[in-house]
Amino acid sequence: MTVQDQRDPQKSPQPSAARERLLATAARLFYSEGIRAVGVDRVVAEAKVTRATFYRHFPSKEDLVGAYLHTEDHRIREHVRQGVDVAGSPEEALGLLIDGIGQEICAPGFRGCPFINAAAEYPDKQSVAHRAVVTHRSWFHDAIADALRAGGHPDPAHGADVMVALRDGAMVAGYLSDSKASAATFSRAARELMRA
């Protein structure tokens, strides 16, 4: 195993209770307070592990940030996959996605999109965090374009561009203002786009 393999958050390391606690603690703190605002010492203390245990699983905070974003990406992809599996049509799958985004915006403790938040904190395009954000957004755009294409949309690539922009705006508005109004506006606009 190379050093690069050890530092790549996309790799699937051996699961352990300590690693899962570290990731869950980091996810909670990073999302609620911001990634840069939370130090390794805080994560270690709240996860109730030693610093040696932390560094055995994550050689640096950057590795932890990458693993956090990879976990969020996996969680979202799994929700979308489950929606596609139960949907009877591409339109129904998109409707479930739109409803899910609205529910997320209205959920207690909502603080915006974890990927938009991370991008704001990590503008360096070479950083692990920024690359994870770009990877997630590319997948999300392609998933929407594929669903629009399967549903017969006349311009699925442009439709996906618009849907992602609508979703981004709704995520920010939902955090900064009335979440229910933001979710309703997003739902209406996204469904109008589906019918275009």
Side-chain angles (χ1 to χ4, degrees):
M1 178 179 285
T2 66
V3 172
Q4 179 61 31
D5 291 335
Q6 292 171 347
R7 295 176 58 84
D8 186 350
Q10 300 298 321
K11 301 290 180 195
S12 297
Q14 281 296 97
S16 77
R19 185 178 191 280
E20 294 308 310
R21 271 200 322 278
L22 284 162
L23 266 175
T25 301
R28 176 177 52 80
L29 294 172
F30 289 169
Y31 185 72
S32 64
E33 298 180 24
I35 297 170
R36 291 197 184 269
V38 176
V40 167
D41 289 341
R42 175 104 181 269
V43 174
V44 165
E46 294 203 21
K48 295 181 174 43
V49 299
T50 65
R51 286 181 69 84
T53 298
F54 173 86
Y55 287 114
R56 185 168 51 252
H57 293 290
F58 304 102
S60 70
K61 182 179 175 183
E62 185 176 357
D63 292 292
L64 176 62
V65 171
Y68 155 65
L69 292 172
H70 173 69
T71 301
E72 286 297 303
D73 175 64
H74 179 75
R75 178 185 64 81
I76 292 168
R77 288 181 193 228
E78 185 61 20
H79 280 303
V80 170
R81 186 195 62 75
Q82 288 172 1
V84 168
D85 286 351
V86 302
S89 67
E91 294 84 4
E92 186 180 352
L94 275 174
L96 291 172
L97 176 66
I98 290 165
D99 291 344
I101 290 169
Q103 290 166 6
E104 184 178 358
I105 290 169
C106 294
F110 178 72
R111 196 180 161 271
C113 168
F115 293 94
I116 294 173
N117 296 349
E121 292 195 65
Y122 288 88
D124 177 4
K125 294 183 190 300
Q126 300 309 311
S127 71
V128 168
H130 195 91
R131 290 193 319 262
V133 170
V134 169
T135 297
H136 173 76
R137 290 176 66 77
S138 176
W139 163 81
F140 186 65
H141 178 277
D142 291 349
I144 292 170
D146 289 346
L148 289 171
R149 189 175 297 107
H153 193 278
D155 191 351
H158 177 69
D161 289 344
V162 174
M163 184 80 80
V164 170
L166 289 170
R167 181 251 181 215
D168 288 351
M171 286 280 176
V172 173
Y175 173 57
L176 296 176
S177 58
D178 184 333
S179 60
K180 288 184 180 174
S182 299
T185 300
F186 168 73
S187 178
R188 179 176 173 182
R191 282 181 164 78
E192 287 171 0
L193 174 68
M194 283 173 56
R195 292 191 292 269

